[in-house]
């Protein structure tokens, strides 16, 4: 027995020693590689090129890129995908002197082969598990095709729906955005880098890109430090805490300094205060763009300012390649900055296992198997269902009966497939995409389906109005599928008018005049303005761009096979004049307390102050009741956790999911606080008549705010607690006094 114990003890020491050695191994291996590298080879690791030309026909550009790869002058390639091409290009990199493998990267934003709802749509699910699953599927497919790294998630907080890239993020709220950022990072990467079915994630765009002036891409941002730290940075910090492998800086300036050359963001906050260990990649060409900004006189100065500020990898500017070696030799850049950047990049290559097997992510058998896995369509359908938001349902016109004899499908997006995929898709392949027409036809196979396009998204013709009206008159119910097309949102797709393009609203009015019940399904990558539809439609389903299974998911909601549970992650304005509009605004010194009394108040004189649809809003086919709010302590001490409990009941006739939301207001503080701020939420499924006690925790960090002189602080005083189903639908209220 003693011998057995001694042997066990000895083996445990061996295992502990091996574990400690393993922890040191990567750092030691990075150091050993660094000692072998010339300055030119170090600079090479900081360059990233697009590989579109590399896999294309012969050209001078292709020869130039291949030569750089062979000579070890490239650290990463983007836009090379598929096992065949990634293996081929990696083999060229392994002809270099030190045989350092390449990182292959790609914009896998909402799916690789399997297309999921756009990120803003998924955020409307408020379902962190399905969001994590969709990122995991994207990672599995990407990794199987040789990809190591995605430029996602975008965690920019966005309060301006004119901005086309609002479709890539989680909406307007900091707390929700931080939770979704964490879920997406864990979905892409797993708990630890190195698994062959996971890829590196990238938190972008650092920082405050969502606040760009006038909702335009590549525009300036001017923010107080208080707004920066409270609103725009927390999702990035959440991503960093979740272990995100990389950050991408943004195109905008922040208070006059381009983010790419912003040492306050990259050196002080990210790598200093947050102690971030991953690396930072520039956005496409953002280093050289510091010259037209007027921040750098030439490409050499841009390279100098970028590396000094903490930008580790240069995407497609060739600034580091052309000038960084000379900047070090002329002592304008300390070689330690280059070494630090190279070390961060090599660290990730070792963590991915690429030095042990450069081809471990390029397996043809795995690629073929993963790309045809039927379970992915089940997951994307669930994500699509959960992303749909029911905005209106007059007299419970929805769900429609499956026994209807004649259904009219009208609108330019009824048969749309490519539009269902939205912007940022890896493969523009519509083979797996289900249109609304196909989804409805399959759902009610015995019904007569009438179809009319009625109008186009891209022109103002009304020639097909009469046909649409005719089809509507012959129907028992009319479903109109309207919106914007996929090319109207995404990068460089800002719009001054976010109404329905073309004559779609006029088409709606013509069809509605038939007297038939009209259900409107809206597809878009952003909040739209549709006031006539809001006022007159019998039901409104906001369907965003839902990906492969969009048509089936929409049909499930229309006919009651899925009870909609989505809630808006962003406020919908009544018109563009209200923008930016968001729920957690300040009260002002002259708030509107009665809609009828706006004289000398903070109000518009030509339209209501409130939005068309508020943050957190969304209807269900059932009803929910909130009751019995309790606080664990009405007079807590500063570091105490306060538990907020209440009973949530399904008071309707069908099962459903409710997103219960917790808001807090700090009523008086040394810095003005918003009227309410989301601090927790729970998505709860209940059967008819079922009740559950829900408990939220108010931790000390949820009561803190940012003071520009003191940093994050918490002050004593009264805090209001609000619980409800939307930011404008508070069901329960209480308060506590923080000592």
């Amino acid at each position: 027995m003693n011998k057995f114990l001694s042997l066990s003890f000895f083996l445990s020491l061996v295992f502990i020693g091996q574990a400690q050695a393993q922890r040191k191994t990567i750092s030691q291996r990075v150091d050993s590689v660094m000692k072998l590298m010339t300055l030119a080879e170090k600079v090479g690791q900081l360059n990233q090129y697009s590989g579109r030309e590399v896999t294309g026909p012969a050209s001078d550009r292709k020869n130039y890129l291949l030569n750089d790869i062979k000579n070890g002058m490239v650290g990463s390639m983007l836009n090379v995908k598929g096992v065949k091409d990634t293996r081929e290009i990696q083999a060229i990199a392994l002809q270099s002197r030190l045989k350092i493998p390449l990182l292959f990267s790609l914009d896998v934003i909402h799916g690789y082969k399997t297309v999921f709802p756009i990120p803003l749509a998924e955020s409307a699910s408020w379902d962190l598990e399905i969001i994590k699953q969709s990122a995991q599927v994207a990672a599995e497919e990407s990794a199987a095709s040789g990809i190591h790294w995605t430029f996602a998630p975008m965690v920019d907080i966005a309060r301006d729906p004119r901005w086309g890239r609002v479709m890539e993020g989680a909406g307007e709220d900091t707390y929700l955005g931080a939770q979704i950022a964490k879920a997406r990072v864990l979905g892409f990467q797993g708990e630890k880098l190195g698994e062959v079915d996971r890829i590196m994630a990238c938190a972008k765009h650092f920082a405050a890109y969502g606040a760009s002036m006038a909702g335009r891409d590549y525009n300036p941002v001017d923010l107080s430090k208080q707004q920066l730290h409270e609103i725009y940075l927390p999702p990035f910090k959440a991503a960093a805490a979740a272990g995100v492998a990389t950050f991408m800086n943004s195109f905008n300036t922040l208070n006059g300094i381009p983010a790419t050359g912003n040492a306050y963001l990259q050196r002080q906050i990210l790598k200093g205060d947050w102690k971030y260990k991953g690396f930072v990649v520039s956005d496409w060409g953002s280093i050289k763009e510091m010259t037209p900004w007027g921040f750098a006189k030439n490409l050499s100065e841009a390279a100098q300012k970028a590396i000094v500020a903490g930008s580790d990898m240069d995407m497609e500017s060739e600034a580091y390649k052309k000038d960084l070696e000379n900047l070090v030799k002329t002592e304008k850049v300390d070689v330690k900055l280059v070494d630090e950047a190279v070390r961060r990049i090599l660290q990730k290559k070792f963590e991915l296992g690429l030095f042990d097997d450069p081809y471990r992510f390029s397996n043809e058998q795995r690629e073929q198997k993963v790309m045809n896995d039927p379970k992915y369509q089940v997951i994307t359908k669930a994500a699509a269902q959960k992303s749909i938001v029911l905005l209106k349902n007059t007299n419970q016109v929805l769900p429609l009966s499956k026994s209807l004899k004649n259904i009219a499908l009208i609108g330019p997006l009824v048969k749309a497939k490519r539009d269902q995929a939205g912007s940022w898709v890896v493969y523009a392949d519509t083979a797996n995409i289900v249109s609304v027409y196909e989804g409805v036809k399959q759902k009610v196979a015995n019904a007569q389906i009438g179809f009319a396009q009625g109008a186009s998204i891209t022109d103002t013709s009304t020639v097909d109005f009469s046909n649409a009206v005719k089809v509507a008159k012959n129907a028992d119910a009319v479903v109109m599928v309207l919106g914007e097309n996929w090319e109207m949102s995404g990068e460089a797709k800002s719009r001054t008018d976010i109404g329905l393009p073309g004559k779609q609203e006029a088409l709606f009015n013509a069809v509605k005049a038939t007297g038939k019940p009209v259900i409107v399904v809206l597809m878009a990558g952003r909040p739209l303005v549709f006031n006539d539809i809001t006022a007159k439609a019998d039901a409104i389903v906001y369907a965003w761009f839902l990906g492969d299974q969009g048509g089936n998911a929409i049909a499930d909601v229309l006919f009651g096979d899925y009870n909609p549970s989505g809630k808006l992650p962003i406020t919908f304005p009544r018109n563009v004049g209200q923008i930016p509009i968001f729920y957690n605004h300040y009260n002002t010194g002259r708030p509107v307390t009665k809609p009828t009394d706006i004289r000398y108040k903070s109000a518009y004189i030509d339209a209501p102050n409130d939005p068309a649809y508020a943050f957190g809003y969304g209807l269900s086919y059932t009803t929910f009741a909130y009751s019995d709010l309790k606080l664990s302590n009405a007079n807590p001490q500063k570091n105490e956790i306060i538990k907020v409990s209440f009973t949530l009941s399904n008071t309707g006739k069908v099962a459903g999911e409710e997103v219960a939301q917790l808001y807090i207001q700090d009523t008086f503080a040394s810095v003005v606080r918003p009227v309410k701020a989301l601090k927790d939420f729970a998505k709860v499924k209940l059967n008819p008549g079922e009740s559950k006690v829900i408990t939220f925790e108010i931790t000390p960090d949820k009561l803190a705010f940012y003071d520009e002189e003191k940093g994050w602080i918490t002050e004593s005083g009264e805090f209001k607690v609000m619980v409800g189903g939307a930011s404008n639908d508070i069901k329960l209220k209480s308060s506590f006094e923080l000592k």
Side-chain angles (χ1 to χ4, degrees):
M1 189 67 177
N2 289 335
K3 290 182 180 179
F4 177 75
L5 288 173
S6 298
L7 179 61
S8 298
F9 180 69
F10 172 75
L11 289 174
S12 68
L13 290 177
V14 170
F15 291 142
I16 291 171
Q18 288 176 339
Q20 290 174 339
Q22 184 64 30
R23 280 197 293 271
K24 296 177 182 177
T25 297
I26 289 181
S27 178
Q28 290 174 339
R29 294 175 77 184
V30 168
D31 287 341
S32 67
V33 174
M34 293 281 292
K35 290 175 183 177
L36 299 173
M37 298 176 77
T38 65
L39 177 58
E41 288 169 329
K42 290 176 181 178
V43 171
Q45 286 301 301
L46 309 186
N47 294 318
Q48 183 180 64
Y49 289 143
S50 174
R52 291 192 183 102
E53 299 95 335
V54 172
T55 56
S59 66
D60 290 340
R61 168 74 170 170
K62 178 175 181 177
N63 292 333
Y64 165 73
L65 293 177
L66 291 176
N67 189 58
D68 274 2
I69 294 169
K70 183 183 287 188
N71 290 326
M73 294 296 103
V74 184
S76 174
M77 298 292 292
L78 69 154
N79 297 325
V80 178
K81 59 182 185 287
V83 165
K84 178 180 178 296
D85 287 343
T86 55
R87 287 186 72 93
E88 181 180 318
I89 303 304
Q90 192 72 282
I92 295 171
L94 295 179
Q95 295 176 34
S96 63
R97 186 178 76 91
L98 295 179
K99 298 177 172 44
I100 298 175
L102 292 170
L103 286 172
F104 291 106
S105 55
L106 195 67
D107 285 293
V108 184
I109 306 301
H110 56 110
Y112 184 79
K113 183 180 179 185
T114 303
V115 182
F116 284 83
I118 60 171
L120 185 62
E122 279 193 345
S123 301
S125 74
W126 294 55
D127 190 314
L128 300 178
E129 186 55 37
I130 199 68
I131 290 170
K132 182 180 175 182
Q133 281 185 3
S134 79
Q136 182 175 328
V137 170
E140 289 173 2
E141 291 185 341
S142 302
S145 72
I147 300 300
H148 309 131
W149 178 21
T150 176
F151 300 129
M154 189 190 93
V155 301
D156 296 307
I157 297 301
R159 294 169 163 180
D160 192 334
R162 295 174 299 177
W163 190 43
R165 299 194 80 161
V166 71
M167 58 78 62
E168 287 183 62
E172 73 182 52
D173 184 69
T174 302
Y175 182 82
L176 177 62
Q179 304 313 305
I180 290 174
K182 178 181 177 181
R184 287 195 167 124
V185 168
L186 293 176
F188 282 127
Q189 294 188 174
E191 295 295 332
K192 183 181 178 182
L193 289 181
E195 299 297 327
V196 292
D197 60 351
R198 295 293 186 274
I199 56 178
M200 297 198 305
C202 181
K204 66 181 189 184
H205 307 85
F206 197 63
Y209 196 23
S212 60
M213 283 186 182
R216 275 179 27 216
D217 273 307
Y218 325 119
N219 230 17
V221 170
D222 283 288
L223 280 179
S224 67
K225 282 188 177 180
Q226 185 248 337
Q227 286 286 294
L228 174 68
H229 283 268
E230 277 192 15
I231 305 300
Y232 294 93
L233 290 184
F236 287 100
K237 190 172 184 181
V244 70
T246 64
F247 267 58
M248 178 185 288
N249 54 45
S250 51
F251 287 119
N252 57 281
T253 56
L254 179 63
N255 302 331
I257 309 297
T260 308
N262 198 310
Y264 175 68
L265 286 174
Q266 297 172 111
R267 289 283 178 205
Q268 183 172 327
I269 295 175
L270 180 62
K271 296 179 177 180
D273 297 344
W274 297 355
K275 296 178 173 55
Y276 180 65
K277 301 302 182 185
F279 69 86
V280 179
V281 62
S282 78
D283 208 336
W284 185 292
S286 68
I287 293 179
K288 67 182 178 184
E289 288 177 14
M290 290 195 289
T291 299
W293 270 116
F295 186 69
K297 288 184 292 186
N298 50 43
L299 192 63
S300 176
E301 189 172 287
Q304 178 186 3
K305 290 191 172 185
I307 194 73
V308 169
S311 189
D312 300 311
M313 182 176 281
D314 175 3
M315 181 197 293
E316 277 291 323
S317 283
E318 297 193 28
Y320 288 175
K321 181 199 170 184
K322 292 178 179 177
D323 293 295
L324 191 51
E325 186 176 0
N326 186 57
L327 286 167
V328 172
K329 289 178 178 178
T330 57
E331 299 184 348
K332 292 180 180 179
V333 168
D334 191 330
V335 70
K336 291 180 180 178
L337 297 179
V338 176
D339 287 348
E340 181 207 326
V342 174
R343 183 170 280 106
R344 288 172 180 268
I345 292 164
L346 294 180
Q347 175 82 19
K348 296 306 171 189
K349 292 185 177 185
F350 272 112
E351 287 177 18
L352 289 170
L354 295 178
F355 277 91
D356 298 319
D357 180 3
Y359 304 110
R360 67 192 302 260
F361 288 83
S362 299
N363 182 297
E364 289 186 10
Q365 290 182 329
R366 186 166 68 242
E367 182 181 39
Q368 292 175 3
K369 179 181 178 182
V370 170
M371 292 305 162
N372 297 289
D373 194 328
K375 73 172 180 285
Y376 294 156
Q377 289 300 318
V378 175
I379 298 171
T380 191
K381 182 179 178 181
Q385 290 171 330
K386 291 173 180 288
S387 299
I388 294 170
V389 184
L390 180 63
L391 296 179
K392 185 178 181 181
N393 193 19
T394 305
N395 298 322
Q396 287 72 55
V397 66
L398 289 178
L400 295 171
S401 170
K402 292 179 185 177
S403 63
L404 289 173
K405 300 297 183 185
N406 196 311
I407 300 168
L409 296 179
I410 297 171
L413 292 168
V414 168
K415 293 187 176 181
K417 291 197 172 210
R418 175 62 188 88
D419 295 301
Q420 283 270 34
S423 185
W424 288 114
V425 293
V426 176
Y427 292 101
D429 181 6
T430 60
N432 290 330
I433 297 177
V434 180
S435 69
V436 175
Y437 185 86
E438 292 168 333
V440 171
K441 199 167 181 64
Q442 181 177 340
K443 183 68 64 178
V444 284
N446 295 324
Q448 183 71 33
I449 306 294
F451 166 70
Q453 180 172 314
S456 168
I457 291 174
T458 55
D459 64 44
T460 57
S461 173
T462 60
V463 68
D464 199 37
F465 274 30
S466 58
N467 185 36
V469 169
K470 180 181 177 181
V471 169
K473 285 180 177 178
N474 292 329
D476 301 315
V478 178
V479 176
M480 300 189 73
V481 190
L482 311 173
E484 50 177 24
N485 65 32
W486 72 270
E487 295 178 293
M488 289 181 171
S489 60
E491 184 176 353
K493 300 295 190 298
S494 298
R495 294 178 58 191
T496 61
D497 179 359
I498 56 172
L500 286 171
K503 291 290 185 179
Q504 293 182 86
E505 206 142 14
L507 173 65
F508 163 77
N509 284 323
V511 171
K512 180 61 181 171
T514 64
K516 295 300 176 85
V518 178
I519 295 100
V520 176
V521 176
L522 291 166
M523 292 185 193
R526 54 158 60 84
L528 295 175
V529 171
F530 42 92
N531 292 323
D532 279 358
I533 291 171
T534 294
K536 301 174 187 177
D538 295 276
I540 304 172
V541 174
Y542 215 81
W544 316 97
F545 294 131
L546 294 175
D548 284 350
Q549 289 293 316
N552 285 331
I554 291 166
D556 286 342
V557 167
L558 292 176
F559 292 93
D561 287 334
Y562 184 83
N563 185 356
S565 61
K567 301 273 190 173
L568 295 179
I570 186 168
T571 301
F572 278 44
R574 295 176 183 271
N575 54 59
V576 293
Q578 291 180 301
I579 297 170
I581 184 170
F582 44 91
Y583 84 92
N584 54 340
H585 56 83
Y586 299 132
N587 208 32
T588 84
R590 296 189 181 188
V592 174
T593 55
K594 295 180 182 178
T596 55
D597 179 16
I598 62 171
R599 185 174 173 80
Y600 295 106
K601 300 292 178 66
S602 181
Y604 299 106
I605 63 171
D606 60 345
N609 254 15
D610 63 328
Y613 300 100
F615 172 83
Y617 172 83
L619 301 176
S620 171
Y621 293 154
T622 190
T623 54
F624 297 96
Y626 291 72
S627 62
D628 199 23
L629 179 64
K630 296 177 182 176
L631 303 185
S632 61
N633 193 340
N635 295 281
Q637 298 298 314
K638 190 173 182 179
N639 294 319
E640 227 176 302
I641 293 174
I642 307 144
K643 293 188 177 182
V644 179
S645 63
F646 59 95
T647 299
L648 181 66
S649 305
N650 183 342
T651 54
K653 298 179 180 179
V654 295
E657 290 181 287
E658 170 70 332
V659 179
Q661 301 158 42
L662 170 69
Y663 296 90
I664 291 176
Q665 182 189 17
D666 186 347
T667 55
F668 300 98
S670 59
V671 176
V672 171
R673 310 308 303 136
V675 294
K676 60 173 72 76
L678 182 73
K679 296 298 179 181
D680 213 338
F681 62 90
K683 191 160 191 175
V684 184
K685 187 171 184 178
L686 295 171
N687 292 318
E690 185 181 5
S691 297
K692 284 185 181 178
V693 175
I694 311 300
T695 300
F696 294 130
E697 288 190 348
I698 302 175
T699 51
D701 61 293
K702 293 180 180 180
L703 303 179
F705 61 88
Y706 191 83
D707 180 279
E708 292 201 5
E709 294 182 359
K710 302 174 184 176
W712 287 95
I713 61 173
T714 305
E715 294 180 339
S716 60
E718 182 190 36
F719 289 82
K720 292 182 180 178
V721 177
M722 296 160 273
V723 174
S727 63
N728 68 339
D729 184 28
I730 301 302
K731 304 292 189 182
L732 304 171
K733 295 181 180 180
S734 187
S735 64
F736 61 88
E737 187 82 18
L738 186 66
K739 300 298 183 183

